[in-house]
Amino acid sequence: MGTKASNKPSSTSSCHHIEALKSSTSLLESYGFLFETFIRSPASDSIKSCDFGAENGGYKESSRKVPPAIKCCECDDSTPRLYACLQCVYFACFEKKHIQEHAKSSKHFLAMDISYGGVYCYRCKDHIYDDDLDKVAGISNNRFFSKLFIVLGLRLIAWTPTDIEIESLHSNPKRRKIENNSSVGLRGLINLGNTCFMSCIVQALTHTPLLRDFFLSDKHNCQMMAETQQCLVCELSRLFQEFYSGSRTPHIPYRLLHLVWTHARHLAGYEQQDAHEFFIAILDLVHQHCKGTNGAASNNSNCCNCIIDQIFTGSLQSDVTCQECHNISTTIDPFWDISLDLVTPEPTSLFDCLKRFTRDEHLGSFAKIKCSQCTVHRESTKRLTMKRLPIVCCFHLKRFEHSIGYHKKIKTLISFTEELDMTPFMSGCKTNDMGECIVTDDQQYRYTLFAVVNHIGNLESGHYINYIKQGQSSWFKCDDHQITKSTIQEVLNSEGYLLFYHKKVLDYE
Amino acid sequence: MRSSINQKLVESGESERLKDILRTRLIECGWRDELKAHCKEIVKRKGLEHVTVEDLVAETTPKGRALVPDDVKKELLGRIRTFLAQQST
């Protein structure tokens, strides 16, 4: 004993007013009923905050009753702090002391806060923690959440520490708290000979919040059996440990480089490489290694739920419209990144690029496509839209132009914003009379910038650096082993090459 | 005026929806974390035995109100306006 109780206020032993009522009246039943009705009813907060996503709105709408308009019995206010008397049917506000007056006049001194379920004792003038009442609330909570998770198809269980865990927590009393201005997670990377293309991608990956959470919670189960040394996921796992260990000396990623060389031959050697190519290569390798090297599942990239696919895979819808019969044939393909053209007329912003990426494109008379309805080759138009967006969206601005006979780098400044709403580029986005997309206030397509990779120099010789976001709003510039403080302004004014955006609100899967 | 607006908001369920949005925004912008830290500080300073929920509410309310970002206030105001405009047409 003593272990669990020590986390709670020392007055766990309730108050004698509650004790007396528990034995003489049906206090526990009343509390259970009120708790179930107000705290764990389908219309209460908890179910709503588990947003099922708008497209899945069926459950949400049908099960959600209009919440009863609860008001204070005295002042008619629906203030945020309403209490229900635990000894009779009475609701009153706390702020204007109406619940206290009720307690005084009727001698009903126990009341429950109907937003959170806390119990207030008027005699003690305080909120009381009572083990039996907590138990009642716990049962109600469990019932509620297990029902909810059946609906959502989830199996989430609250963490109840085992004896070993409790003991380990007690014997290791030191807690590390990450402060806002903490530098944990910031680490330079030694350049091993033109490996800045790797450094900047590693920085971006280690600062991808969901990927970090995955690795730091030790979720990877190595599938490579005898060859764990060859597993790139294990190496990434070690890398995350290195990055978040609190050490400030630059890390030397020689093992990662060696693994990449062995598994992706085209990137081997001390040549300069393209950061985008490396990004795709490392995603592909990690994706394969999540399944083991020779697993059949790795061939089918469409239905994989490895961490890479969960975070980075989205899908593009391509609609080809026949110009004769207007029949539309639709195909859907997965993507890890979106490559955006910068050729003439030069776009000026990321928004421009995306608009161009998703507009109707005439395929011309030389590229007739067989229409399934006309059964002959017809001129068609093609349009790409986002069918499903990944949690992390990587935009690749095609700054390197390779045509027959010439190669050049496009140095145009493309403006991009810290916040991005992808609604206009979604498949089936509603448009107004002007053909412009109606932007709704839907949260699910809102994104925030968290990493930017830049290329400095020209095609023959250049250097990669990147900017990463740390915490809520601090930005840092990573140039191989050097890390310096930066600002969002500097980031937004930079000549971006790869832009990494993270989804703002995460849905339950 | 105020009470009739309030009634409309509550009856239509809009008030609950707005509360949801507000709650999400306050979490997103770090308001909740900041206030939580502030509460912990007060409890630590005064000692667990000498602090009640009422004290905490009284002491944190002004700070809590002041810390709500203008953007959030603006957004909520805009949403209430839109809602009322829809209602009156």
Side-chain angles (χ1 to χ4, degrees):
Chain A
M1 229 1 252
T3 45
K4 202 177 169 200
S6 61
N7 296 330
K8 289 189 177 178
S10 55
S11 58
T12 319
S13 48
S14 191
C15 75
H16 59 267
H17 310 109
I18 289 184
E19 293 298 343
L21 276 172
K22 267 195 296 202
S23 48
S24 63
T25 68
S26 53
L27 176 68
L28 292 178
E29 284 81 4
S30 316
Y31 180 71
F33 175 77
L34 283 170
F35 193 88
E36 195 106 326
T37 313
F38 293 106
I39 314 294
R40 288 299 165 228
S41 77
S44 73
D45 305 324
S46 36
I47 199 160
K48 279 177 285 163
S49 58
C50 303
D51 204 298
F52 310 144
E55 71 262 278
N56 195 357
Y59 177 75
K60 188 173 176 178
E61 290 310 318
S62 62
S63 69
R64 188 164 149 195
K65 307 161 209 155
V66 174
I70 313 156
K71 290 175 184 169
C72 172
C73 291
E74 298 301 317
C75 60
D76 253 20
D77 257 1
S78 53
T79 57
R81 296 193 64 205
L82 280 179
Y83 281 69
C85 176
L86 278 168
Q87 288 157 278
C88 73
V89 181
Y90 186 82
F91 299 94
C93 68
F94 198 91
E95 256 156 84
K96 293 187 187 153
K97 303 221 177 290
H98 291 136
I99 192 72
Q100 291 91 326
E101 278 163 26
H102 171 74
K104 210 165 155 187
S105 59
S106 60
K107 302 227 168 6
H108 293 167
F109 35 74
L110 292 182
M112 184 190 92
D113 171 349
I114 63 170
S115 333
Y116 301 98
V119 173
Y120 180 77
C121 172
Y122 177 71
R123 288 275 174 83
C124 302
K125 293 274 182 293
D126 200 2
H127 284 74
I128 306 294
Y129 296 90
D130 179 85
D131 280 344
D132 292 318
L133 290 177
D134 275 356
K135 221 177 268 167
V136 172
I139 292 168
S140 180
N141 278 337
N142 280 344
R143 195 180 315 140
F144 173 80
F145 284 114
S146 52
K147 236 190 247 164
L148 177 65
F149 293 144
I150 290 169
V151 173
L152 295 173
L154 286 176
R155 271 182 54 92
L156 294 185
I157 302 144
W159 179 58
T160 353
T162 62
D163 291 345
I164 300 168
E165 282 164 338
I166 290 171
E167 190 168 330
S168 138
L169 280 170
H170 276 280
S171 51
N172 299 289
K174 197 181 159 201
R175 303 279 177 266
R176 203 183 260 182
K177 193 178 168 221
I178 307 286
E179 303 284 347
N180 265 342
N181 53 4
S182 156
S183 65
V184 169
L186 291 176
R187 247 188 126 172
L189 288 161
I190 297 284
N191 193 322
L192 301 167
N194 284 332
T195 56
C196 53
F197 68 91
M198 178 171 85
S199 309
C200 65
I201 296 300
V202 167
Q203 292 287 2
L205 289 177
T206 45
H207 287 86
T208 302
L210 276 188
L211 203 60
R212 176 198 61 203
D213 294 350
F214 174 85
F215 281 110
L216 292 186
S217 52
D218 199 18
K219 291 267 177 61
H220 169 57
N221 277 323
C222 189
Q223 304 289 315
M224 308 218 356
M225 311 295 180
E227 312 163 278
T228 14
Q229 291 305 313
Q230 288 298 307
C231 177
L232 197 65
V233 198
C234 290
E235 180 51 34
L236 267 194
S237 193
R238 277 190 289 269
L239 197 71
F240 271 91
Q241 294 290 339
E242 282 292 343
F243 260 80
Y244 290 90
S245 67
S247 164
R248 305 182 66 144
T249 52
H251 177 64
I252 309 167
Y254 68 95
R255 291 173 58 136
L256 178 70
L257 186 66
H258 182 245
L259 272 179
V260 171
W261 281 7
T262 7
H263 291 295
R265 291 264 168 221
H266 62 288
L267 293 173
Y270 292 101
E271 309 270 298
Q272 295 193 5
Q273 301 288 349
D274 179 28
H276 174 249
E277 203 177 331
F278 178 78
F279 173 65
I280 297 301
I282 198 162
L283 286 193
D284 187 41
L285 287 173
V286 173
H287 161 77
Q288 284 176 32
H289 289 192
C290 280
K291 293 282 174 191
T293 35
N294 40 18
S298 63
N299 298 328
N300 191 353
S301 61
N302 286 333
C303 56
C304 170
N305 65 346
C306 77
I307 188 64
I308 295 300
D309 280 295
Q310 279 182 39
I311 296 177
F312 295 97
T313 303
S315 54
L316 267 182
Q317 177 170 331
S318 149
D319 294 318
V320 175
T321 312
C322 167
Q323 289 305 287
E324 289 296 322
C325 69
H326 298 288
N327 177 48
I328 302 175
S329 85
T330 299
T331 46
I332 289 163
D333 291 303
F335 70 85
W336 272 341
D337 68 323
I338 295 164
S339 290
L340 299 164
D341 274 324
L342 301 184
V343 288
T344 49
E346 283 184 349
T348 56
S349 67
L350 175 64
F351 193 83
D352 258 7
C353 294
L354 283 165
K355 228 160 101 185
R356 195 184 294 180
F357 184 78
T358 53
R359 73 176 171 196
D360 279 323
E361 181 193 354
H362 281 271
L363 295 174
S365 46
F366 295 110
K368 290 183 176 172
I369 285 178
K370 191 171 179 180
C371 168
S372 59
Q373 195 157 305
C374 310
T375 63
V376 278
H377 285 76
R378 296 285 194 197
E379 276 190 36
S380 333
T381 59
K382 181 176 142 181
R383 182 166 185 228
L384 292 172
T385 46
M386 311 285 158
K387 175 79 180 162
R388 199 181 72 87
L389 286 169
I391 291 169
V392 167
C393 245
C394 170
F395 299 106
H396 167 218
L397 303 176
K398 289 203 247 172
R399 294 199 173 273
F400 303 110
E401 198 185 351
H402 299 281
S403 288
I404 305 156
Y406 78 105
H407 306 281
K408 72 169 194 188
K409 182 183 166 190
I410 302 168
K411 295 193 174 187
T412 327
L413 203 67
I414 303 290
S415 69
F416 48 96
T417 49
E418 191 179 3
E419 307 261 311
L420 177 67
D421 187 349
M422 290 293 286
T423 318
F425 316 111
M426 301 304 296
S427 314
C429 169
K430 291 192 187 80
T431 50
N432 62 14
D433 303 337
M434 307 283 284
E436 288 164 338
C437 177
I438 302 164
V439 176
T440 56
D441 56 291
D442 208 332
Q443 288 301 302
Q444 59 174 330
Y445 305 132
R446 290 212 312 181
Y447 282 77
T448 315
L449 189 69
F450 75 93
V452 174
V453 171
N454 280 9
H455 182 263
I456 303 166
N458 50 40
L459 263 183
E460 292 73 41
S461 82
H463 181 52
Y464 283 108
I465 58 142
N466 75 328
Y467 294 98
I468 44 137
K469 184 159 110 169
Q470 165 103 342
Q472 289 280 347
S473 55
S474 314
W475 283 88
F476 290 91
K477 180 178 168 181
C478 310
D479 183 347
D480 286 331
H481 61 283
Q482 283 175 4
I483 294 187
T484 45
K485 188 117 182 63
S486 178
T487 60
I488 179 68
Q489 233 45 55
E490 186 185 340
V491 178
L492 296 180
N493 290 332
S494 73
E495 184 196 288
Y497 175 51
L498 300 174
L499 313 175
F500 294 85
Y501 282 89
H502 202 285
K503 209 171 188 171
K504 271 199 108 165
V505 179
L506 297 178
D507 296 327
Y508 282 82
E509 292 269 299
Chain B
M1 180 72 178
R2 195 194 167 96
S3 69
S4 72
I5 290 176
N6 207 26
Q7 194 180 342
K8 256 193 183 146
L9 286 171
V10 173
E11 279 170 2
S12 59
E14 180 71 7
S15 134
E16 284 296 303
R17 224 172 65 84
L18 290 174
K19 269 194 223 164
D20 269 357
I21 294 168
L22 177 61
R23 197 170 291 129
T24 323
R25 290 289 179 278
L26 290 178
I27 294 171
E28 277 173 5
C29 72
W31 179 89
R32 189 181 142 128
D33 287 341
E34 200 166 333
L35 221 61
K36 206 172 180 176
H38 184 55
C39 288
K40 277 187 178 167
E41 224 170 79
I42 295 174
V43 174
K44 229 179 247 171
R45 196 179 62 225
K46 293 191 167 179
L48 191 55
E49 300 306 316
H50 313 291
V51 73
T52 66
V53 176
E54 271 164 277
D55 296 344
L56 272 183
V57 171
E59 198 161 330
T60 50
T61 305
K63 189 178 166 121
R65 284 189 202 281
L67 281 177
V68 178
D70 284 347
D71 288 355
V72 176
K73 290 184 197 166
K74 252 184 238 159
E75 186 187 346
L76 265 288
L77 190 64
R79 281 172 189 273
I80 296 173
R81 282 219 177 97
T82 323
F83 170 76
L84 291 175
Q86 280 166 0
Q87 291 289 303
S88 57
T89 52

